[in-house]
Amino acid sequence: MKARTRAAATLLTPFFLLFTAVMVVPIGYAVWLSLFTEKQSGLGFGGAETVFNGLDNYTAALGDRAFLEGFGVLLGYCLLYIPLLLAGALALALLLDSALARARRFFQLALFLPHAVPGIIAALIWVYLYTPQLSPVVRAMEAGGVGFDFFSPEGSLPSVVNIALWEWLGYNMVIFYAALQAIDRSVLEAATVDGAGSWRTAFAIKLPLIRASLGMVALFTVIGSLQLFTEPLILNKGTGSAVTSTWTPNMYAYTAAFDRNDYGLAAAASVLLALAAALLSFAVTRLTDRKGKRA
Amino acid sequence: MSTPRPVNVWLSKAAVNGALVLAVVYMLFPLVWLLTAATKDAGGLLAGNAFSFEGFDLGGNLRRLAGHNDGIYFHWYLNSLLYAGLGALACSLISVAAGYAFDKYDFRGKEKLFGVVLLGVLVPTTALALPMYLLASEVGIVNTYGAVLLPVLVNPFGVYLARVFSAGYVPDEALEAARIDGAGELRTFWSIGLRMVMPGFVTVFLFQFTAIWNNFFLPLVMLSDQKLFPLSLGLYAWNSNAHAEPDHYPLVVTGSLLAVVPLVVAFVSLQRHWKAGLTAGSVK
């Protein structure tokens, strides 16, 4: 018995050592750093001095309009993106799962393919497709009499949402499709025998049965949404774009650290972001759990 | 069973498949654009006609890509292969070892410990990158290969997957048989457990390889020496200059195309594995 315990410990040690070094310690360090600030001593000759300042970094971040507006952007992003993603991926999965679909393997692969494209490259491609000088899309829209500025204040959010949808729709579709395929076929046959049409079967039988997958996708999407950084950063680099360098909380933290060299503020912003993620994932888990129990 | 009229079925079939085709067009159009855009010189690219081969100059683009800044692009390519290959290999081994231990052994506080792993899945990685950078600069490993490699060795979701796969692929009887034959526990893991859980290993490897290949935030934060850049960061740096130097546009586009190819090939050829990975995470 002792040999087994020792073996378990040996196999677990590398993971937990690294886990501690790469996740636990940085979280602790971020909390620690967020309590300090650098002050120029005297006339600025003596270099910077690190001073404990309690929760001042937190009040500074929370008192900064740019930071709060970042959360506002995230809220708008989530309200637009999450319903579109869930509904779109579900619709595609249900279409693919319906008896009428052909060439399922091809559709699955083709719809999944954008997920193989690195986020930064996906963002680059789309920014080029948004740029009037480069884009066949903008040109075609103009020819059709539709003028839309993807970089304008109103256009930025849909622009970013579109990139995210392109990257994640197929991925989540595959998850839902796998869950649908795992449904016991006799349940569906029984529904057909009882006279349920394909719409009824989809909404009254298939959807409730894949609720666990729905909850998981929602959870990971929420966590992912809070980290929004790469796509808006690329849009931010575009000329004439309404996306600022503090557009999302993550960008705010990055700017605080690397443009303003205010590590305390950056750490406080990171901690607040992680807290928001924890709260939201707790809420999402509770929500989907409760729904699951009621069913 | 009610039989719908044939015309109705034909219409529904057309509607279902038509909707799927529309979705595929949306998904593939940007990739087709990338493909044709990579064949154009700066003038043709700015002309903006996606499907003409105006200003066709794929050879020239590749030559310029290889020649620009002493061939730094292929240096980045090798770096990406190194980060993703080595990182994913080590990460899969570490994850599978831990997942196997969680599945096959009983010890005190096991499920609590596993709960910690699951909590790790929920930690937003980009909120960690900044503290990681500050910590790395304390330790003095900022701007080294290690600064990018070390953090990607940890993947709590990989441990979760490995546990699921170990439960599914490694029968306890096989381990009992090895024990009766007198093999030590670690030996049993190495020569029996690891071999049987190979599909899980490949799945974790594939996912981690993609994640590292696509990783952008961590290298952005950690690296300043262009020689250490992975593709994602290098292309980003080029793109940031493209407004000042329009010659950079073809470099970015052709470079992006080449950077996407290995992942597309991997996903097309390893379909079984990524599907298994997605499924293991979702179907209870």
Side-chain angles (χ1 to χ4, degrees):
Chain A
M1 215 47 212
K2 225 174 150 203
R4 293 191 191 179
T5 314
R6 219 179 313 127
T10 314
L11 292 173
L12 287 170
T13 301
F15 175 76
F16 278 100
L17 268 183
L18 285 161
F19 184 82
T20 309
V22 170
M23 295 190 105
V24 181
V25 176
I27 292 175
Y29 191 60
V31 173
W32 171 257
L33 270 173
S34 69
L35 303 175
F36 291 87
T37 192
E38 298 220 324
K39 283 228 168 78
Q40 293 296 325
S41 56
L43 295 165
F45 293 119
E49 192 188 351
T50 309
V51 194
F52 180 81
N53 71 340
L55 295 176
D56 283 6
N57 285 321
Y58 290 93
T59 47
L62 290 172
D64 191 343
R65 259 189 68 186
F67 186 61
L68 295 180
E69 278 171 4
F71 277 100
V73 167
L74 275 191
L75 185 70
Y77 174 82
C78 285
L79 288 179
L80 192 59
Y81 173 59
I82 294 178
L84 279 175
L85 179 80
L86 292 182
L90 261 178
L92 287 174
L94 285 170
L95 283 175
L96 205 60
D97 189 59
S98 89
L100 302 163
R102 305 261 146 189
R104 288 165 204 219
R105 280 173 62 101
F106 163 77
F107 280 126
Q108 256 194 97
L109 185 65
L111 294 172
F112 184 81
L113 219 47
H115 191 73
V117 177
I120 187 97
I121 293 178
L124 282 174
I125 296 176
W126 276 104
V127 165
Y128 286 6
L129 288 175
Y130 292 157
T131 307
Q133 296 88 339
L134 292 167
S135 169
V137 177
V138 175
R139 229 159 274 194
M141 281 168 65
E142 271 168 5
V146 188
F148 186 76
D149 182 357
F150 288 99
F151 301 109
S152 64
E154 314 80 48
S156 306
L157 198 60
S159 296
V160 174
V161 166
N162 175 54
I163 302 174
L165 277 177
W166 187 73
E167 287 176 76
W168 288 96
L169 205 55
Y171 180 91
N172 292 312
M173 189 268 304
V174 172
I175 293 183
F176 290 148
Y177 180 61
L180 286 172
Q181 292 277 297
I183 294 176
D184 191 350
R185 291 290 123 175
S186 63
V187 175
L188 300 179
E189 270 160 35
T192 318
V193 172
D194 287 350
S198 43
W199 287 98
R200 251 220 70 199
T201 316
F203 285 100
I205 296 170
K206 288 181 180 177
L207 275 190
L209 283 175
I210 63 165
R211 187 172 278 148
S213 304
L214 211 64
M216 198 194 70
V217 165
L219 179 61
F220 282 118
T221 306
V222 165
I223 300 172
S225 299
L226 282 177
Q227 308 188 51
L228 191 61
F229 180 79
T230 306
E231 295 83 357
L233 182 72
I234 300 294
L235 249 74
N236 167 249
K237 297 289 172 187
T239 33
S241 165
V243 175
T244 61
S245 61
T246 55
W247 204 61
T248 69
N250 222 341
M251 293 169 83
Y252 179 91
Y254 178 79
T255 307
F258 294 100
D259 288 353
R260 295 157 65 180
N261 288 319
D262 192 340
Y263 292 160
L265 183 65
S270 290
V271 171
L272 286 170
L273 192 61
L275 275 179
L279 279 176
L280 265 177
S281 35
F282 180 71
V284 171
T285 329
R286 278 295 290 271
L287 215 68
T288 43
D289 262 7
R290 200 175 297 157
K291 268 190 197 153
K293 265 173 208 145
R294 214 182 283 153
Chain B
M1 210 187 278
S2 64
T3 28
R5 281 172 300 141
V7 178
N8 222 336
V9 170
W10 191 85
L11 270 179
S12 316
K13 204 175 265 182
V16 165
N17 290 290
L20 285 169
V21 166
L22 271 183
V24 167
V25 169
Y26 167 65
M27 291 301 182
L28 294 189
F29 169 70
L31 293 174
V32 172
W33 178 83
L34 183 66
L35 200 64
T36 57
T39 66
K40 293 175 209 251
D41 58 18
L45 193 59
L46 289 166
N49 189 337
F51 302 106
S52 84
F53 284 94
E54 204 176 320
F56 183 88
D57 196 18
L58 179 61
N61 281 342
L62 288 173
R63 225 176 10 256
R64 275 188 291 278
L65 191 66
H68 194 81
N69 203 354
D70 292 331
I72 189 115
Y73 178 81
F74 290 100
H75 205 85
W76 295 339
Y77 217 100
L78 285 178
N79 285 342
S80 270
L81 281 174
L82 179 85
Y83 290 130
L86 205 65
L89 198 66
C91 173
S92 316
L93 198 59
I94 291 166
S95 304
V96 165
Y100 172 90
F102 273 120
D103 175 44
K104 294 297 173 224
Y105 296 112
D106 273 317
F107 49 89
R108 213 141 45 91
K110 176 165 107 163
E111 293 310 324
K112 280 221 175 76
L113 204 57
F114 194 66
V116 171
V117 175
L118 290 184
L119 271 183
V121 175
L122 300 180
V123 174
T125 45
T126 51
L128 275 178
L130 215 53
M132 247 183 236
Y133 161 78
L134 299 171
L135 206 60
S137 62
E138 286 284 312
V139 188
I141 61 161
V142 160
N143 208 18
T144 61
Y145 280 108
V148 175
L149 263 178
L150 211 61
V152 298
L153 298 182
V154 179
N155 181 359
F157 192 65
V159 175
Y160 168 79
L161 275 186
R163 183 179 183 172
V164 173
F165 272 104
S166 170
Y169 284 89
V170 190
D172 292 334
E173 296 81 18
L175 303 185
E176 281 311 322
R179 280 177 193 136
I180 289 166
D181 288 347
E185 290 298 323
L186 290 179
R187 173 88 209 252
T188 308
F189 165 68
W190 188 253
S191 50
I192 295 175
L194 189 57
R195 215 137 297 178
M196 288 180 142
V197 83
M198 240 339 143
F201 186 93
V202 177
T203 305
V204 176
F205 179 87
L206 179 66
F207 273 74
Q208 194 65 3
F209 186 92
T210 331
I212 304 173
W213 191 274
N214 295 354
N215 200 349
F216 171 69
F217 196 62
L218 187 70
L220 173 73
V221 166
M222 291 288 187
L223 303 176
S224 52
D225 180 359
Q226 288 223 351
K227 283 248 150 62
L228 302 177
F229 280 12
L231 282 169
S232 56
L233 193 54
L235 288 169
Y236 169 73
W238 273 355
N239 185 58
S240 303
N241 287 335
H243 301 297
E245 299 173 57
D247 277 356
H248 274 69
Y249 280 125
L251 286 180
V252 173
V253 171
T254 311
S256 297
L257 178 66
L258 291 191
V260 167
V261 169
L263 290 182
V264 170
V265 170
F267 273 108
V268 172
S269 53
L270 296 170
Q271 278 191 66
R272 197 162 55 90
H273 290 285
W274 57 258
K275 276 182 200 158
L278 290 178
T279 321
S282 67
V283 182
K284 298 241 166 96

